[in-house]
Amino acid sequence: MNNIIDYIEWRGDLTFQQSAFNEVDNLIFAQISYLNLGVIKGQVKIEELGKIYRKKIASRENKSENDVSDFTEKVEVMFLKASESRRFKDVLVTSFVNKFDEVRESQFSAMTFIINDDLMYVAYRGTDDTLVGFKENLNMSFSAPVPGQMDAVRYLKSILERFGQSEVIVGGHSKGGNFAVFAVSQLTDRERERISTIYNNDGPGFTENILNSEGYKKTVGKVKKYIPEDSFVGILMDDEEECTVVSASASSGILQHDGLNWDVKGTEFIRKESVSKKSAFVDKTIKHWLEGLNREEREEFVNELYAILKKSMNANCLNDIFRNRFKSTYYFIKKMGSLEEDKREMLQNTVLKLIQSGSEIKREEKENERNRRINSRKKKKIENLSDKELRKFILKKISTNKEK
């Protein structure tokens, strides 16, 4: 199957004047936001940033160590192809912000793409490789808004104030998609009118207080949400957004979350009718589990889990953990065993609730499937009855109902 890199190769010779902005362009801009483009003074063409970035890569390759993740390397390939294409090379990049605050447990990054005089795309970065970024994701299950969401609001308001006339599209991938929706929900009605579309690319949902807010309800009609068939991030928590399931050339949810694995045909993602059974099962299980935990229990579990990851593995990045996963697993188990009894018991009980939630959902699905088969057999049996047998069956049912 073909992906967004193939799209750039096929359609990169068509400018935005020749072929209008589409959902695939949205994902390309959202993916570029994962790159640290350095200090951008004023407005710089993607073509120029591509030349600068090539030098950065060459400098990095001359060093003995390369700690760049596989995901980042793939995004770099995509970005460099875009920087040489007619479609993207003249797009201006401005207002690049990259903030990291371990104390506030916040990771926030955004950039704005000026496509032409009348259109711009505000892109929010999703979770990066840092443990702090991962922790902020977890915090969203019990705390709203998190610092990154409020940073997203301030950033968007500043862009709207600075560029007073342009139509604005807002989007992001993963947590960036969540930030995009939240930021627009916090605008005034007049500011919100400037936003034509919000693209949420496999981003998680929201806590109940945000879903019930007036701002969210006024925003949700502008949202286009895309999730892969095996989604496990975009299904987390709840939302009321128009959702499209897309095909992805990867075997599991973690790989399908990567937008570079989404299948593209022409100017669209290839559609699927629904999420996979595995994704639906994870969705029901996580929701059932979270419903059984109050806010304090969620917060305590997240904080203790994060503390163990930090202390046992001496890691600041997820890449550090994955690169040494066997060693990391050993230290994680060892640290669990040395916890105070009450904390260890809390973690074990919370994980047990997750396992129990999965078991209950599995039992429910088996029971539903059993009932479906029984009803199907009954239906076939009724369809095969003669007219005389059918009248007799109906009279018997009526008689039984009267007795009840």
Side-chain angles (χ1 to χ4, degrees), residues 142-155:
F142 62 81
S143 177
V146 295
Q149 288 174 322
M150 294 311 299
D151 285 334
V153 177
R154 286 186 285 270
Y155 181 87

Side-chain angles (χ1 to χ4, degrees), residues 100-261:
F100 176 85
D101 192 328
E102 193 163 5
V103 176
R104 293 170 71 224
E105 295 179 341
S106 176
Q107 164 256 320
F108 173 77
S109 185
M111 60 182 70
T112 296
F113 299 91
I114 303 173
I115 298 168
N116 53 47
D117 292 339
D118 302 313
L119 181 65
M120 60 176 55
Y121 183 101
V122 175
Y124 292 109
R125 180 185 295 179
T127 307
D128 62 12
D129 189 38
T130 63
L131 278 180
V132 168
F134 173 68
K135 175 64 160 55
E136 187 173 41
N137 269 7
L138 298 177
N139 289 348
M140 288 165 65
S141 69
F142 62 81
S143 177
V146 295
Q149 288 174 322
M150 294 311 299
D151 285 334
V153 177
R154 286 186 285 270
Y155 181 87
L156 183 55
K157 281 180 173 287
S158 71
I159 293 297
L160 292 175
E161 185 178 348
R162 183 179 167 193
F163 301 95
Q165 302 300 319
S166 298
E167 172 193 344
V168 180
I169 298 171
V170 187
H173 173 260
S174 193
K175 182 173 67 177
N178 174 285
F179 282 7
V181 177
F182 181 82
V184 178
S185 76
Q186 301 301 300
L187 299 178
T188 65
D189 290 347
R190 188 172 181 178
E191 289 170 331
R192 195 179 295 112
E193 287 176 2
R194 296 266 313 278
I195 311 301
S196 61
T197 310
I198 307 159
Y199 285 97
N200 182 356
N201 301 291
D202 204 29
F206 298 93
T207 52
E208 191 173 344
N209 63 318
I210 293 175
L211 292 177
N212 293 332
S213 69
E214 184 181 358
Y216 180 81
K217 293 185 182 301
K218 288 181 177 180
T219 296
V220 71
K222 294 177 179 283
V223 181
K224 292 184 178 181
K225 182 169 183 176
Y226 300 89
I227 62 173
E229 186 180 14
D230 249 8
S231 175
F232 81 100
V233 174
I235 60 172
L236 295 176
M237 297 189 285
D238 294 308
D239 62 63
E240 299 170 6
E241 298 155 23
E242 173 194 330
C243 187
T244 299
V245 181
V246 302
S247 171
S249 300
S251 58
S252 65
I254 188 80
L255 294 175
Q256 288 194 12
H257 181 56
D258 180 351
L260 286 154
N261 289 328

Side-chain angles (χ1 to χ4, degrees), residues 284 288 358-371:
K284 290 178 182 177
H288 187 278
S359 298
E360 287 180 31
I361 296 299
K362 205 70 177 174
R363 281 198 298 271
E364 184 182 306
E365 288 182 347
K366 285 182 178 179
E367 182 65 22
N368 289 340
E369 179 64 18
R370 178 176 170 275
N371 291 335

Side-chain angles (χ1 to χ4, degrees), residues 344-395:
R344 185 170 65 250
E345 188 174 317
M346 179 276 297
L347 285 169
Q348 290 172 342
N349 287 340
T350 306
V351 172
L352 181 61
K353 284 182 181 180
L354 175 59
I355 295 169
Q356 289 171 339
S357 293
S359 298
E360 287 180 31
I361 296 299
K362 205 70 177 174
R363 281 198 298 271
E364 184 182 306
E365 288 182 347
K366 285 182 178 179
E367 182 65 22
N368 289 340
E369 179 64 18
R370 178 176 170 275
N371 291 335
R372 188 191 65 78
R373 288 177 180 174
I374 291 172
N375 291 333
S376 178
R377 286 197 293 268
K378 284 181 178 178
K379 185 179 178 182
K380 285 182 180 179
K381 187 176 180 182
I382 292 171
E383 287 173 349
N384 292 328
L385 293 176
S386 65
D387 290 347
K388 185 176 180 181
E389 288 171 328
L390 184 58
R391 283 195 296 271
K392 187 176 178 181
F393 173 80
I394 293 170
L395 289 171

